[in-house]
Amino acid sequence: MEAYKNVYFHKLDVYKRVLKKNDKAADSMQKIYRRPEEISVLFGDIIGNKLKNNCISIDDGNKISILEILSHDDKYIFAKICRETDAISYQIRDNSTFVPNRIELSINQTFEIFTYLLIDRENFVISFLKEKSAPDIKTIQYLIDNNYGHQDLFGEISGVMVENAIPLLKNKDILGTITYKMQIPSDRIMNIDNLGLSESEFRELKNQKHVEIQVKLVAERNKSAFDNPNSVERVLRKILSFTKRASIRAKDEDGYMQTYNIVDSQLTKKVKFKFDRNADNLDKEIERKLKFTYESNKREVLEYIGDLE
C-alpha cells in the first residue's frame, strides 16, 4: 500500500570557533567553516570508531537521542534518528476482537519513535522525513558538538531555502488555496460580531493588544486561484506586505499538490515522498526512495545553496 510523507532538505555545516584578538575593541569569536571533505572525515571517524551496534547517542542539552546508521558508503549515509517516548500512552489492539494489549518492555528496553534521513557526503545536504514527536533535524548538529566540541568544532543546521518564492510559484501550473494570518489592533475592528463575540462580551475582555485573524482563500479542486498569471506576484507581495508568513498550495500539471510555506518571501524546499509501507524491508524501501527523491531534486537544491558548478 502506498503512503506519502514530505521530504525536507537541510544542510549541515561544521565550523571551528576561533577567538579573534582585537587591540582596539573587545575580542570576538569567529566561525571558520570546514570543507565538505573535512566533514566527511569526521563522519568517517564516527562510523569507524564511535558506534556501538551501529548506534551513537546525541545529547542536545535537553534530551538524549540515538543516531542509528543503517548503511553508508563514500557517497551517502542513511540513518534513523530515534528518541525514547512514553509507552504507557500506547497499546496494541486486535482488530477482530477489539482486545487491547499493553506494550510490555523489559527493564533494559525503551520505547522509541524514529524517522529517517539521508546525508549526501559530497555537500552534506540532508534529506529528512519529519515525524511528529521524533527528534528534530537540528539534533544532528549536536552530534558534532558532542564528539568534537573539545576541538572547538561545532555543527550548524540550516534549511534549504528558496531565496525568492514568488518567481518559483509564478511558474507553477496550478496555484490553489492561500492561507495567511493578519493582526488587527483591537480598537480598529469594524464589526465585532464577525469575531463570534457580541460587543458586550468583547468589552468584558481586558488588555487585548490585537486580534489575530487567519484568512483561508480556498480554491476549487484542481482549479487555479488565479485566472491571470500576471496577477500572482502582485497579490502575493501584497499579502506579504502585512504578514511575514503565508502558505499556498501549488503544483505542476503532472505533479502532486504541495503546500509552500512562505516566510519573509522565502520558502523551505520540501517535496512529496511516496513509498510502499508494506514492503518486505521497509528500511531498504525508504532508503531507495529517499535517494531517488533527492537525486531527482538535487540540481534545484544545490542551486539554492549556491553549490551548483
Side-chain angles (χ1 to χ4, degrees):
M1 184 173 69
E2 287 186 340
Y4 298 88
K5 295 183 183 292
N6 285 319
V7 179
Y8 293 80
F9 297 103
H10 298 79
K11 189 173 187 303
L12 171 67
D13 286 301
V14 174
Y15 63 88
K16 187 175 182 67
R17 197 162 59 186
V18 177
L19 182 64
K20 185 177 181 180
K21 295 287 187 178
N22 194 323
D23 295 334
K24 297 182 180 180
D27 296 344
S28 60
M29 298 302 298
Q30 185 177 11
K31 294 180 179 180
I32 300 177
Y33 286 90
R34 293 317 201 204
R35 299 189 305 274
E37 54 266 33
E38 294 177 293
I39 304 174
S40 189
V41 170
L42 297 180
F43 273 85
D45 178 51
I46 289 170
I47 292 169
N49 302 309
K50 300 180 183 296
L51 300 183
K52 181 179 181 179
N53 289 326
N54 296 319
C55 297
I56 186 170
S57 64
I58 303 174
D59 184 353
D60 66 6
N62 184 34
K63 293 183 178 180
I64 302 294
S65 301
I66 300 293
L67 180 69
E68 180 181 353
I69 306 295
L70 298 174
S71 71
H72 64 89
D73 54 27
D74 291 340
K75 189 173 182 181
Y76 289 118
I77 297 170
F78 177 60
K80 289 179 183 176
I81 186 166
C82 321
R83 177 170 289 166
E84 180 181 359
T85 191
D86 192 354
I88 198 169
S89 300
Y90 294 84
Q91 63 184 12
I92 300 170
R93 185 182 299 278
D94 187 294
N95 287 333
S96 58
T97 65
F98 295 144
V99 174
N101 288 289
R102 288 198 172 277
I103 298 172
E104 300 293 339
L105 302 174
S106 72
I107 193 169
N108 291 322
Q109 291 180 319
T110 58
F111 185 64
E112 288 184 336
I113 185 166
F114 66 87
T115 192
Y116 295 93
L117 56 91
L118 179 74
I119 302 173
D120 184 342
R121 297 181 75 167
E122 182 182 17
N123 48 50
F124 283 87
V125 169
I126 302 176
S127 306
F128 180 67
L129 291 180
K130 186 176 181 180
E131 292 285 355
K132 188 176 181 180
S133 301
D136 186 86
I137 183 60
K138 285 189 178 292
T139 305
I140 295 298
Q141 71 188 32
Y142 295 102
L143 175 68
I144 304 299
D145 299 15
N146 290 176
N147 291 279
Y148 303 104
H150 65 284
Q151 300 178 26
D152 287 324
L153 292 174
F154 300 91
E156 187 175 84
I157 292 284
S158 56
V160 173
M161 304 292 289
V162 181
E163 286 300 327
N164 194 334
I166 293 175
L168 182 146
L169 293 171
K170 282 174 62 177
N171 292 328
K172 296 294 181 182
D173 295 317
I174 296 178
L175 293 170
T177 298
I178 303 170
T179 305
Y180 60 92
K181 291 182 180 180
M182 57 188 303
Q183 294 179 351
I184 303 174
S186 57
D187 59 351
R188 296 185 186 176
I189 298 172
M190 301 301 293
N191 189 343
I192 293 174
D193 291 336
N194 290 341
L195 301 179
L197 299 175
S198 67
E199 183 173 350
S200 62
E201 289 168 335
F202 188 78
R203 292 185 184 281
E204 290 178 6
L205 301 173
K206 301 296 181 184
N207 303 317
Q208 301 303 303
K209 182 179 179 181
H210 61 253
V211 174
E212 188 172 273
I213 297 174
Q214 177 167 300
V215 179
K216 194 169 187 178
L217 307 174
V218 182
E220 291 186 39
R221 185 177 178 85
N222 292 324
K223 292 187 177 181
S224 183
F226 296 89
D227 288 331
N228 183 358
N230 295 326
S231 64
V232 174
E233 181 167 358
R234 180 171 55 81
V235 172
L236 291 181
R237 290 200 184 282
K238 177 66 174 179
I239 291 172
L240 292 169
S241 70
F242 54 77
T243 181
K244 288 187 176 182
R245 184 182 297 271
S247 67
I248 183 167
R249 301 271 291 167
K251 72 169 186 172
D252 293 321
E253 200 67 56
D254 57 348
Y256 297 106
M257 205 69 171
Q258 297 183 40
T259 299
Y260 291 82
N261 295 305
I262 311 170
V263 182
D264 291 331
S265 296
Q266 295 183 335
L267 57 85
T268 303
K269 176 65 178 172
K270 68 175 182 178
V271 298
K272 185 73 75 175
F273 177 75
K274 181 173 67 173
F275 65 100
D276 180 5
R277 66 185 306 158
N278 295 326
D280 293 336
N281 188 325
L282 187 57
D283 288 351
K284 288 295 183 184
E285 167 73 359
I286 297 288
E287 179 180 13
R288 183 174 66 86
K289 291 296 182 66
L290 257 186
K291 287 180 178 178
F292 174 79
T293 301
Y294 169 64
E295 288 167 359
S296 298
N297 291 273
K298 183 174 180 177
R299 182 177 179 84
E300 189 177 43
V301 169
L302 295 186
E303 183 179 350
Y304 296 151
I305 65 175
D307 199 30
L308 190 64
E309 295 182 353

